[in-house]
Amino acid sequence: MPRVLHRPQDPEISNRVHLHLLSDSTGETLEMLAKAALAQFEDADVVRHFWPMVRSRQHLERILPELKANPGLVLFTLVNPETRERLEEACTQLGLPAVPILDRVTEALEKALGQEAHGRPGRQHAMDQAYFARVEAIQFTIAHDDGVGWENWDEADIVLAGVSRSSKTPTSIYLANRGYKVANIPLVVESPPPPKLFELERAMVVGLTTAPERLVQIRRNRLLTLNEERETHYVDNERVKDEVKFARRMFADNGWPVIDVTRRSIEETAAAVIRLYNEREARGTRQGAKPI
């Protein structure tokens, strides 16, 4: 188990906890580990405080008042000795448990490899070929959001299709951060998609669908954020059901794999897309419709 620097005496039992994540890099690794751990707890009320790119004591000093104001668990990946020592000292003074979550893994690798780890912040994100490929994927995905740039869809790895508010854009961005070039297009009954969508060979088209009732709820919330309270076809129950049927029929007619996002998080949807993509690449053929 990772060494806990300080554990408060007789903590009050509660489902609510403030979780502070401090990283000297993007914090992507730290977030993923925290999410994986939190998935083991039901009904936990977790308030996350994310602090990336903490590479100096001065930066850390600006964060410490937030730790004091919102006491909770501190998870960190800091390699700079001065910054790390100051955080540990502050957590001890505040009575906060602080866990350096990569220490045990790093120590085990040092023993296995017979060498010391290089204390470089964000070393796992070094600007190698994979890094530049990911940057390119992100740029491509942003430039091909919401049906834009369909002329270049042949360059995509994945094209996501679905009705409005079916998680196409956030899923695309998440996949781009994993290195996949993704385009997405909204399916509208009155406006057929460009013929290019049905001619793609390299790109894998994936249909995203969701329960109409859930879709109406999401759309209503969206309209409220825009201060729009009028009833429109956009949130009409029967109209939305027709939209979903229209999209599903298109997926089936073209043999595209389908993912129901009703009860899936963005991460879970992206993982399902990646699995489909890897299976398709392994077979070297297009995959038929397969709701998952």
Side-chain angles (χ1 to χ4, degrees), residues 3-256:
R3 179 169 60 96
V4 176
L5 301 172
H6 183 83
R7 185 181 299 276
Q9 297 294 323
D10 300 321
E12 181 183 352
I13 301 299
S14 173
N15 278 339
R16 185 183 182 92
V17 62
H18 288 274
L19 181 62
H20 295 273
L21 307 175
L22 287 83
S23 171
D24 50 24
S25 186
T26 64
E28 183 178 338
T29 300
L30 188 58
E31 275 202 301
M32 290 177 62
L33 289 172
K35 286 180 180 179
L38 287 171
Q40 307 303 313
F41 300 90
E42 295 182 0
D43 302 323
D45 183 7
V46 179
V47 181
R48 301 189 196 187
H49 306 268
F50 184 45
W51 313 102
M53 307 304 290
V54 183
R55 295 189 174 182
S56 68
R57 178 163 177 162
Q58 291 78 9
H59 188 174
L60 178 62
E61 292 295 342
R62 296 196 296 270
I63 297 173
L64 294 181
E66 295 292 333
L67 270 64
K68 183 177 181 180
N70 301 286
L73 175 61
V74 179
L75 305 182
F76 67 90
T77 52
L78 302 175
V79 298
N80 180 278
E82 181 184 2
T83 307
R84 178 177 174 136
E85 182 179 350
R86 174 58 182 140
L87 176 62
E88 294 173 346
E89 175 187 282
C91 287
T92 299
Q93 293 173 348
L94 295 171
L96 303 181
V99 182
I101 63 172
L102 292 182
D103 275 24
R104 290 298 300 273
V105 177
T106 303
E107 291 170 4
L109 286 172
E110 286 180 333
K111 291 180 181 179
L113 298 172
Q115 57 179 290
E116 291 187 2
H118 295 288
R120 302 182 192 175
R123 181 176 173 83
Q124 71 273 28
H125 298 291
M127 289 191 289
D128 53 13
Q129 184 176 359
Y131 172 86
F132 288 109
R134 187 170 68 167
V135 170
E136 183 180 357
I138 293 173
Q139 292 175 336
F140 179 92
T141 300
I142 292 175
H144 295 81
D145 182 43
D146 206 33
V148 175
W150 58 265
E151 301 90 346
N152 304 317
W153 281 353
D154 280 324
E155 301 174 21
D157 298 309
I158 299 163
V159 175
L160 301 181
V163 299
S164 175
R165 314 311 295 178
S166 56
S167 303
K168 298 183 300 301
T169 294
T171 303
S172 296
I173 297 298
Y174 188 93
L175 288 167
N177 274 281
R178 296 291 300 274
Y180 297 91
K181 291 183 178 180
V182 186
N184 74 77
I185 180 171
L187 299 180
V188 181
V189 177
E190 300 84 0
S191 179
K196 187 75 171 180
L197 181 64
F198 309 103
E199 301 168 356
L200 296 172
E201 295 183 1
R202 178 183 180 277
M204 179 183 72
V205 181
V206 178
L208 300 185
T209 189
T210 187
E213 299 79 9
R214 175 61 174 160
L215 189 57
V216 169
Q217 180 184 355
I218 292 172
R219 290 183 176 184
R220 287 189 184 279
N221 292 337
R222 171 61 175 168
L223 291 179
L224 287 176
T225 64
L226 299 175
N227 295 320
E228 176 60 68
E229 298 181 358
R230 293 177 302 171
E231 289 291 319
T232 67
H233 288 311
Y234 190 62
V235 292
D236 179 78
N237 287 313
E238 293 304 316
R239 174 75 174 189
V240 172
K241 289 180 181 178
D242 289 341
E243 285 186 55
V244 173
K245 289 180 181 178
F246 167 76
R248 279 189 168 276
R249 190 180 306 113
M250 184 181 296
F251 301 152
D253 289 346
N254 290 277
W256 297 332

Side-chain angles (χ1 to χ4, degrees), residues 253-272:
D253 289 346
N254 290 277
W256 297 332
V258 182
I259 298 176
D260 190 330
V261 304
T262 306
R263 299 184 181 279
R264 279 186 165 92
S265 66
I266 299 302
E267 294 86 351
E268 291 170 329
T269 300

